[in-house]
Amino acid sequence: MKAPDENIENLLRVDRVVYPTPETKSRSYIQDYESEYRRSIADPEAFWDKVARELDWFTPWQRVLDWKYPWAKWFVGATCNISYNCLDRHVKTWRRNKVAVIWVGEQGQERILTYGELFRQVNRCANALKALGLRKGDRASIYLPKIPEQIVAMLACARIGVIHSVVYSGFSAPALESRIRDAESRVVITADVGYDRGKSINLKGVVDQAVANCSSVETVVVVRRETPGVPLAAPKEIDWNDWLEGEKPVCAAEPLDAEAPLYILYTSGTTGKPKGVVHVHGGYMVGTYITTKYVFDLKEDDIYFCVADPGWVTGHSYIVYGPLLNGATILTAEGKPDYPNPGRWWHLIERYGVSIFYTTPTAIRLLMKYGEEWPKKYDLSTLRVLGTVGEPINPEAWEWYHRVTGGTRPIMDTWWQTETGMILVTPLPSVPLKPGSATRPFLGVEADVVDRQGKSLPANAGGFAVIKTPWPSMMRTIYKDPDRYKVYWETIPNCYTAGDVCRKDADGYLWFMGRADDVIKVAGNRIGTAEVESALVSHQAVAEAAVIGKPHKTVGEAIKAFVILKQGHQQSPALIQSLKDQVLKELGKIAVPQEIEVVESLPKTRSGKIMRRVLKAKELGQDPGDISTLEE
Ligand code: WTA
């Protein structure tokens, strides 16, 4: 990552403050953020201790935190099991017949699982894993489309202490192979096919290729969705239903050390091989539980819809673990937001009476392209709390999202990472919002903006986003690569460095400006890509934008922008000029792109993040490096 040898220019200024409605405020768990935050930060261990007591433990902890920089252990000496807290804790109460999961397939199929039914399926799957000889500490790779078996398999592994490695089903065979190899998984759980915009994707074929040279894999379990079912090569390949057939629906959750690994999730750095981020049962459970509860103000009667795929961390923390720990009813839907039409998600919100909706800026910008008539067709009045995650949300998209959902629902712009496990910077529904800002740190979290030496910067100066003290759901290590873990805590001494650039305004609101690696230096001023992109997207003709820095003789780096136009707009010299004028207006002369190229598509990761370094390499005729996460 580049050192912030000069301060990062921040040019975007938004004055609008959106206050919570009295109703939102009065019904939310945390009504006075400022005082609760101050109290939590005065004694974070006391705060986390209290939260942890809301969950069930087999034996209590002797100490909340054991911090030997940069290594942390939370809830030291305690035993617990996250699957027990997601299931047993609820089936012992009236919630046994409450709906846990509503699943909708791409063709509109529906499956509904109560907590009792989910509990039974997870227990049978856990017994089936045991029957294959899997034990605490073994690894299983899960390469499934977004179907309920994905959730069942994750919880079943957790139940017996098997470490799951979920691999997003959009990954290619080499990417899957490298993840199976690194984890040395004994079992791979997959499906014959996934569906994507009406096409069936042959997942089993990908797994065949991937496991051909993985000697660790003893068994491949296949969920067969199509008839007739794909042929399976016994005894190595087993049908999911046959596998569970005859297994008892009771399997006691294994009491595990709070620090026992729960999962490995591979995430890409800017270069090199993917990093296996390791999360554990105890602390991760505490962090995801309380953030889901407070950030979304999750109540017993909510219908919670998160559009992520459990193949990504958002799915792990905010489809599976966080909501189930809270005993929530979750809606999860296979497929894309614009298939079979751009009304897909709005339709689901109306159909199931969704009250909490958690999505991404990329998806919002995609839906914006199709226009407001789509959300207008549906009754969205059940919505109560909205969320976004994954990248900075440009104020333009924020305002659209806010407007089309009724104009009064608070938007939780949640900032976090695979490595952090839980949301770290975010509004709560009672906090005044500034469109484009992720607002304030979550309770118990100390976030700041610092220079390379770790010195706090004054208001509005751009620098590095850091977390100054450990939190329970932080990653514990990078699998088999502890040195790579240490980099996060040692880049800036005594701080966790996220790799994002950010500024803190005079009210203490955090404005994330993109990844540090993407920062462009124009005439000595560092400019975050997100701000320029946001300015471009605020132009009525632009659907999406990506900017990169190109070496330039006089100014160091010049900005080049790639834009996708909205339907009905044509490229012309006048349009390009008006885009430049827009940036000039929004951000000032320094940020105006020297070149603007109209393109049909942008290189993106499978999770929807624009891969600027691929654009840059192409532009400069260089090698793009690792592109295993590239969508197309
Ligand atoms: C970016 C996704 C601005 C950020 C949960 C971070 C965001 C990276 C936001 C982690 C947000 C995520 N505002 N930027 N609300 N949320 N990011 O590991 O650059 O896929 O470092 O985790 O996404 O991406 P990851």
Side-chain angles (χ1 to χ4, degrees):
M1 121 186 11
K2 276 189 213 168
D5 49 346
E6 270 117 329
N7 288 345
I8 294 143
E9 285 303 308
N10 56 83
L11 308 162
L12 186 71
R13 286 284 188 275
V14 176
D15 301 326
R16 192 160 121 81
V17 179
V18 180
Y19 292 92
T21 63
E23 196 203 342
T24 297
K25 190 157 179 169
S26 66
R27 69 164 284 173
S28 65
Y29 288 111
I30 302 295
Q31 299 188 10
D32 181 0
Y33 165 81
E34 296 301 336
S35 69
E36 298 263 2
Y37 180 71
R38 268 196 306 277
R39 197 168 338 134
S40 75
I41 228 58
D43 190 351
E45 287 185 41
F47 171 76
W48 291 115
D49 180 273
K50 188 153 173 278
V51 171
R53 285 169 200 278
E54 292 185 27
L55 295 164
D56 287 356
W57 302 76
F58 300 126
T59 47
W61 49 95
Q62 278 112 41
R63 249 177 317 148
V64 174
L65 171 65
D66 175 16
W67 179 228
K68 292 196 177 69
Y69 171 80
W71 305 99
K73 288 187 183 143
W74 284 85
F75 308 106
V76 185
T79 57
C80 63
N81 188 305
I82 198 169
S83 147
Y84 184 92
N85 276 279
C86 288
L87 299 169
D88 308 48
R89 208 161 69 88
H90 308 310
V91 297
K92 286 194 277 186
T93 71
W94 67 271
R95 283 197 193 118
R96 81 173 64 90
N97 293 325
K98 177 176 176 175
V99 173
V101 179
I102 304 169
W103 173 84
V104 182
E106 211 194 52
Q107 285 95 12
Q109 325 89 294
E110 179 189 81
R111 284 168 67 186
I112 293 181
L113 284 84
T114 60
Y115 272 91
E117 182 53 22
L118 184 62
F119 174 79
R120 287 185 290 273
Q121 290 198 20
V122 168
N123 278 278
R124 290 169 66 214
C125 183
N127 279 327
L129 285 164
K130 276 188 177 171
L132 293 177
L134 268 81
R135 295 288 174 265
K136 183 164 87 180
D138 286 341
R139 277 82 54 209
S141 292
I142 300 173
Y143 182 72
L144 281 170
K146 213 203 270 187
I147 54 177
E149 284 78 3
Q150 199 182 24
I151 301 175
V152 171
M154 289 166 79
L155 291 168
C157 288
R159 198 157 185 86
I160 58 171
V162 166
I163 303 165
H164 62 69
S165 161
V166 179
V167 179
Y168 174 61
S169 62
F171 276 117
S172 58
L176 175 60
E177 180 182 334
S178 73
R179 285 159 175 79
I180 295 172
R181 271 178 188 281
D182 191 68
E184 297 170 275
S185 295
R186 294 181 61 188
V187 172
V188 177
I189 302 175
T190 188
D192 52 356
V193 294
Y195 297 102
D196 185 18
R197 293 200 168 95
K199 281 201 319 259
S200 75
I201 312 292
N202 177 4
L203 300 180
K204 173 67 169 45
V206 175
V207 172
D208 289 347
Q209 256 186 62
V211 302
N213 298 309
C214 293
S215 55
S216 66
V217 178
E218 299 153 24
T219 309
V220 176
V221 180
V222 185
V223 178
R224 287 194 280 189
R225 310 178 74 189
E226 302 220 301
T227 40
V230 282
L232 299 178
K236 184 169 175 174
E237 300 178 351
I238 315 176
D239 174 87
W240 169 275
N241 289 325
D242 297 343
W243 188 46
L244 297 195
E245 188 66 42
E247 292 297 345
K248 293 245 165 356
V250 184
C251 170
E254 177 105 18
L256 300 167
D257 189 279
E259 286 294 308
L262 167 63
Y263 67 76
I264 304 169
L265 181 56
Y266 290 90
T267 185
S268 51
T270 4
T271 51
K273 79 182 216 333
K275 309 186 230 191
V277 170
V278 176
H279 284 294
V280 301
H281 275 254
Y284 178 80
M285 153 173 110
V286 172
T288 54
Y289 163 74
I290 200 65
T291 45
T292 309
K293 179 171 168 177
Y294 286 171
V295 173
F296 300 107
D297 194 40
L298 185 60
K299 299 281 162 60
E300 202 68 78
D301 58 353
D302 277 311
I303 305 284
Y304 170 97
F305 180 22
C306 170
V307 304
D309 184 299
W312 306 111
V313 75
T314 303
H316 281 63
S317 298
Y318 297 107
I319 290 182
V320 182
Y321 291 112
L324 295 179
L325 285 165
N326 280 280
T329 298
I330 64 180
L331 169 66
T332 172
E334 188 181 24
K336 295 285 195 299
D338 56 352
Y339 184 85
N341 62 52
R344 165 81 171 170
W345 288 349
W346 311 122
H347 166 70
L348 292 174
I349 291 168
E350 176 184 274
R351 182 178 161 93
Y352 293 99
V354 169
S355 51
I356 301 172
F357 181 52
Y358 192 23
T359 183
T360 66
T362 301
I364 294 166
R365 287 195 297 267
L366 173 75
L367 294 175
M368 274 173 83
K369 240 181 8 178
Y370 294 107
E372 267 173 58
E373 55 271 28
W374 284 100
K376 277 201 186 128
K377 284 187 202 182
Y378 300 92
D379 177 2
L380 307 179
S381 61
T382 51
L383 286 172
R384 199 165 71 71
V385 179
L386 307 169
T388 73
V389 60
E391 50 181 319
I393 178 163
N394 49 300
E396 207 67 16
W398 195 103
E399 295 291 354
W400 188 86
Y401 188 27
H402 193 241
R403 190 171 63 245
V404 303
T405 50
T408 56
R409 279 71 170 178
I411 299 176
M412 304 300 104
D413 175 357
T414 64
W415 178 90
W416 59 295
Q417 305 178 294
T418 304
E419 295 89 334
T420 72
M422 70 180 215
I423 295 167
L424 291 183
V425 177
T426 179
L428 301 178
S430 62
V431 167
L433 305 171
K434 300 189 187 187
S437 168
T439 77
R440 310 289 309 277
F442 187 74
L443 306 180
V445 174
E446 248 188 285
D448 200 3
V449 177
V450 302
D451 67 12
R452 181 175 26 182
Q453 284 73 39
K455 201 165 99 306
S456 288
L457 292 170
N460 289 318
F464 279 147
V466 296
I467 309 297
K468 295 195 145 170
T469 48
W471 63 99
S473 69
M474 59 193 266
M475 68 167 160
R476 295 305 192 264
T477 191
I478 299 289
Y479 194 61
K480 292 181 181 165
D481 202 348
D483 287 343
R484 241 174 142 186
Y485 164 81
K486 288 201 242 165
V487 171
Y488 287 85
W489 284 93
E490 289 174 352
T491 301
I492 294 171
N494 292 307
C495 293
Y496 170 86
T497 306
D500 280 21
V501 286
C502 190
R503 76 177 159 94
K504 187 156 80 172
D505 71 16
D507 299 326
Y509 277 51
L510 292 153
W511 296 77
F512 288 91
M513 296 189 285
R515 300 286 305 165
D517 329 68
D518 288 333
V519 166
I520 302 172
K521 192 170 176 184
V522 182
N525 303 289
R526 288 175 178 268
I527 294 171
T529 50
E531 292 193 302
V532 183
E533 289 162 6
S534 173
L536 286 164
V537 175
S538 72
H539 189 283
Q540 50 156 10
V542 177
E544 278 205 87
V547 306
I548 59 165
K550 271 175 83 169
H552 187 277
K553 276 212 277 307
T554 46
V555 293
E557 272 185 302
I559 299 174
K560 165 144 193 192
F562 299 84
V563 296
I564 300 177
L565 297 182
K566 283 190 191 151
Q567 277 167 354
H569 291 275
Q570 235 92 65
Q571 174 172 9
S572 71
L575 176 68
I576 298 296
Q577 190 53 48
S578 109
L579 296 182
K580 290 184 178 179
D581 290 346
Q582 179 81 5
V583 181
L584 182 70
K585 191 176 98 206
E586 294 270 327
L587 302 175
K589 190 158 170 257
I590 187 110
V592 174
Q594 195 172 56
E595 265 179 86
I596 298 181
E597 189 180 328
V598 174
V599 292
E600 291 296 318
S601 67
L602 290 167
K604 285 188 183 166
T605 63
R606 289 157 214 271
S607 63
K609 287 197 208 345
I610 295 169
M611 292 183 86
R612 293 178 191 78
R613 79 187 154 80
V614 172
L615 279 173
K616 188 161 179 167
K618 189 152 176 265
E619 183 70 20
L620 304 180
Q622 295 167 343
D623 179 351
D626 172 26
I627 51 165
S628 64
T629 57
L630 190 65
E631 170 89 46
E632 55 207 20

